[in-house]
Amino acid sequence: MKLEPKAEAMLAGEMGAARMWAVEHQLQVGRMFDASDMVEVSQAHMMADPESMGEAGVALIEGFAALPEADRRVAIPMITDPRGVDLNYYDPLGQTEDMANLERRFIAACRSLGIMMTNTCINYQTIMSPVRGDHVAYGDTGVVIYSNSICGARSNFEGGPSALAAGLTGYTPRYGLHLEENRRATRRYVVEEQPRGLTDWGVLGAVVGRRAGSYWEVPVIEGIETVPTSDQAKHMGAAMASYGSTPLFHIVGITPECAAIEDVDGEGLRGEKITKDDLDEFRGGFGASGEEVDVVVFAAPQLSLVEMGEVAALCRGRRRHDDTAFLVCTPAGVYADAKSTGFVDAIEDFGGRVLQGTCFYQQYAREIGEANGWTRLLSNSAKIVNILGGYGYKPALASMEDCVASAEAGRIV
Amino acid sequence: MVKVLRCHVGIGPRVEGEAMVANDNFSARYDLDRNRGVFSRPEHALAGQSYVDKILVLNTAKGGVATAWMLYEMMSRGIAPKALLLNSANSILAQGAALANMTLCDRFDAGDVTQLIATADRVRVDPEAGEVTMLDAN
């Protein structure tokens, strides 16, 4: 892989041990995907919750944080994905002091590197949306698929270590979605049933993702008659990325790289129908009508201010069942706005709790489930119900309205 | 005659071990109980089985980015697979393998790797050469 002189200097150790590690890491990844060179990136976004990183991952970052300032500071604006512990509210969730301390150590190390602790997986809604053609190094699959598909930016899934490497060097290996030829459609889907609410968009994304089924497939979708809101596109993308490991999709006439199907070379592909039955079959896998529900969760992705307002409106004048916990995850910036607009108070009056800067499935989900005796979980996120089966939950899916009504009833309506 | 499977150049050290094969996909977040070292997702073809020190042979990567940290975290505790052989890795598995120094190879010339190798086969993986050698073949 060809390196710029600056990256060569980093590799030679002339700009410190952290940048040398970073280029070595990028060379290994680039070689596996036949990258010919590196591409400059304008931002990095790092997924790094303590459950995933463990002691080893946090110690790695602390090692970099102990370097001289010139050797440790990131080279480009770099932000973070949700934390695993809300340090204002962890004991009541059953999280331990050890978990909180690992989080505290990680936050201190990141600050020392000059990383901005935004703790969000909706940075494209809340921090700075990338621009079409903008090469970035984003973690969180939901962030990547939205940025590629809706914004027209260029990013691979950059896991925490690679996002950090990009932050330290300002480059990432040029492979995958940084190359135009990998952004063309490879699978074509024709939607027969129009999605309406957030969960419908998530279900559609999940069905497409499950069918496409690979990082290297690019779905193009026809038949969508309405332009989705940012929140709807967010749920669609997050679910597609979760079920298919899919980093990019196009919607004909809606997403920026696909005014017409010919723009993504999709006209010769065989169209596969997505019918009402396909969507209902998916929903049927996560139905549990009438069952008692232990915890209702709004997360994955974190809620925008608009979603916070929608949940708050549904909560007003009602009260959750004593045996059903009710959790809402949003970034600290949105929390501040949701507090001033009265949304947080409405959710708390309902008996819910708004967690700041976390996302439920990244919060030691297995441990908090065991500590609270939570098994049956209900959410409006098609993404989170996919993830949590492996964490010992019995997840169920319902619309936002039905989630709130189920929390009130104590059983799934 | 020793049977050698050709694949793309991979990541990590040369290793030998026992294969565990399934026509299913892989995510450390979605599929594993990393404390116990077993596949925990009930729907996974390897549900309930220990992956520790196995050469896992699966179809492709699924899910999110957490696996990039998790492979490193699993290796640090010694409760990890010895290698991953896939039809198609994604960026996250490559990044995770690079950080963890875990052996990873994909894209096999002879076709579906989950059909080419069987559970309990002993294999040697050489990612630098892009070769997997079947040690039991005769």
Side-chain angles (χ1 to χ4, degrees), chain A residues 141-150 157 237-238 240-241 246-249:
Chain A
T141 57
V143 171
V144 174
I145 193 170
Y146 189 102
S147 299
N148 276 319
S149 310
I150 306 299
F157 286 175
M240 200 185 303
T246 308
L248 166 68
F249 65 90

Side-chain angles (χ1 to χ4, degrees), chain A residues 245-293:
Chain A
S245 201
T246 308
L248 166 68
F249 65 90
H250 304 289
I251 306 176
V252 177
I254 292 176
T255 56
E257 292 171 68
C258 189
I261 197 160
E262 293 79 9
D263 295 345
V264 294
D265 293 348
E267 68 275 21
L269 299 170
R270 187 179 63 83
E272 297 176 44
K273 286 180 187 172
I274 294 184
T275 65
K276 182 173 183 300
D277 286 350
D278 295 329
L279 302 171
D280 287 345
E281 184 190 358
F282 176 87
R283 284 193 187 87
F286 293 104
S289 189
E291 288 197 25
E292 289 183 7
V293 56

Side-chain angles (χ1 to χ4, degrees), chain B residues 67-83:
Chain B
T67 301
W69 284 118
M70 286 178 172
L71 296 184
Y72 184 66
E73 192 275 334
M74 291 153 67
M75 287 288 266
S76 77
R77 291 183 292 115
I79 302 179
K82 194 172 270 183

Side-chain angles (χ1 to χ4, degrees), chain A residues 32 47 157 159 162 242 386, chain B residues 30 34 41 69 91 95 107:
Chain A
M32 176 130 188
M47 177 276 169
F157 286 175
S162 287
S242 174
N386 189 28
Chain B
Y30 288 43
R34 289 172 294 121
R41 186 179 181 82
W69 284 118
S91 62
Q95 296 158 12
R107 286 164 281 176

Side-chain angles (χ1 to χ4, degrees), chain B residues 105-128:
Chain B
C105 286
D106 76 343
R107 286 164 281 176
F108 285 79
D109 289 351
D112 181 354
V113 69
T114 69
Q115 300 295 316
L116 297 169
I117 301 174
T119 293
D121 283 352
R122 286 198 60 79
V123 299
R124 179 191 306 132
V125 184
D126 186 342
E128 186 72 29

